[in-house]
Amino acid sequence: MRPRSKRWAEALRQFPGGVNSPVRAFKAVGGEPVFMERGLGAYLYDTDGREYVDLCLSWGAIILGHADAQVGSALQTQAARGTSFGTVTTAETDLAIEIRRHYPSIEKIRFTSSGTEAVMGALRLARGHTGRDRVVKFEGCYHGHADSLLVKAGSGLATFGSPDSAGIPGALAELTTVLPYNDAEALRGYFSEHGRRTAAVILEPVCGNMGVVPPRPGFLETLRRLCTAAGTVLIFDEVMTGFRVALGGAQALYGVRPDLTTLGKIIGGGLPVGAFGGRAEIMDRLSPSGPVYQAGTLSGNPMSMAAGSSVLRRLTPERYRKLENDCAVFAARLSEAFRAARVPVSLQRVGAMFTVFFSDRPVHDWRGVSGTDKARYSRYFKRLLKRGVYLPPSAFEACFLSTLHGPAEADHVAGAVREGGF
Ligand SMILES: *Cc1c(COP(=O)(O)O)cnc(C)c1O
């Protein structure tokens, strides 16, 4: 095995910034990233054999814990039969049925290999369906790295987008309008002027990518009403929240029905996956039944389908009732520990995802989130890492829990928090 000091230096020689996805580099918290070697249940083990309670869970893709035996055997069975054929398979239909059982808004679905691709497909479809170009997103929401949506824009109300990344044509970014999350007034203002020229509004119905920020009462309903009136396609990006905040996702939890939904993460059982689906009338505009092109060599590949089905088959309403209970207990223990350490926090949780904001009041939007104490988060992150807790390496991310995070793990994390020093 490589000596500890060499691993990161070698990775830095191979990959830009040492990584294959930016946030893994620990830039936001400082220090060198930990190389993980294996996972089991609620735990990760690094290359030195150190154990961590995992609160990152592959960014939410894992819900039944690491190295689940049934997922493992489903993958072995499929691997023995071949990993990809580039043809139709019944494995795709099986997983589609499992998903649609819990998402009645999804009348037809298409699988992709990542959440980003699912969002790209949904966006093109919405534009093709409406014949309009303009789209709306919300400040602080992340929808993968598609050009049109890597736009966050500054403060103010309806700011016309300027890209967050180099390499995005200004002409494309201009078609994206960014509005503040949870601001129904800004929405109404935008729609009164531009609604009928807008192809789609996309949002995380519970925002997870600025840390967990739930929708204010009425926000999703207002959005639904405005989109219906303007003929604008409403896209719920449930790549993170699907099978995470509830069995039926945020749309079931809040009772608001989108036109299109994007999924990913949990539905692949830890393998690469994405999906988008919704009203049949819209979905049937996809090639080959319609004029909107979208494709993928490994879309719906049998390995991801097998892992996904193995997980989804075991996700029942009873299981989510227990998960909700366990997560509530976990969050309560954590809150107590912060009180004991005299650190003011806003712990914001929906289902099996939560964020501890270092703030003395709840946050509802990007402005609130960016006012929280980031330096304190870095100290907290490092403290907990030392004590065997793996948090997401950024203050603006969600923590995740699995069905295997029980009282023992809650005690461990709470114990580490109670020691304070951050
Ligand atoms: C993770 C995520 C994506 C992107 O999915 P990838 O599989 O990383 O491409 C899109 N939207 C949301 C809400 C996500 O959390």
Side-chain angles (χ1 to χ4, degrees), residues 130-285:
T130 56
R132 307 170 183 177
D133 290 338
R134 195 179 290 272
V135 298
V136 172
K137 76 174 288 288
F138 294 89
E139 205 173 6
C141 287
Y142 174 71
H143 303 292
H145 55 90
D147 280 354
S148 289
L149 297 174
L150 266 186
V151 183
K152 189 165 58 191
S155 52
L157 289 179
T159 314
F160 284 92
S162 67
D164 264 359
S165 161
I168 294 175
L172 198 55
E174 271 169 26
L175 296 174
T176 303
T177 297
V178 182
L179 297 176
Y181 197 75
N182 267 330
D183 187 340
E185 210 44 58
L187 257 185
R188 278 191 284 269
Y190 173 86
F191 266 86
S192 67
E193 208 170 324
H194 305 292
R196 298 211 153 270
R197 288 190 288 141
T198 302
V201 175
I202 185 168
L203 88 165
E204 295 181 74
V206 173
C207 192
N209 281 293
M210 57 175 149
V212 175
V213 176
R216 283 186 191 272
F219 181 64
L220 298 176
E221 291 82 352
T222 300
L223 184 53
R224 176 67 279 182
R225 239 184 346 266
L226 291 168
C227 283
T228 302
T232 299
V233 176
L234 176 56
I235 307 172
F236 277 8
D237 182 352
E238 299 227 45
V239 170
M240 183 183 285
T241 53
F243 296 97
R244 170 60 63 191
V245 297
L247 183 53
Q251 52 197 274
L253 194 59
Y254 297 99
V256 176
R257 193 181 172 112
D259 300 305
L260 295 177
T261 299
T262 54
L263 292 167
K265 298 196 168 104
I266 287 175
I267 65 161
L271 269 74
V273 84
F276 62 107
R279 282 165 49 201
E281 172 209 1
I282 304 178
M283 290 300 290
D284 281 333
R285 292 192 185 261

Side-chain angles (χ1 to χ4, degrees), residues 297-321:
T297 302
L298 290 180
S299 290
N301 81 82
M303 296 295 277
S304 299
M305 300 296 106
S309 286
S310 167
V311 170
L312 296 202
R313 266 201 289 274
R314 285 177 283 156
L315 299 181
T316 59
E318 301 75 60
R319 197 138 204 182
Y320 278 85
R321 273 195 287 278

Side-chain angles (χ1 to χ4, degrees), residues 342-365:
R342 296 180 193 288
V343 176
V345 298
S346 174
L347 196 156
Q348 305 191 178
R349 179 185 72 86
V350 182
M353 57 195 257
F354 70 89
T355 295
V356 172
F357 288 108
F358 291 102
S359 161
D360 53 10
R361 68 204 127 171
V363 300
H364 303 289
D365 54 20

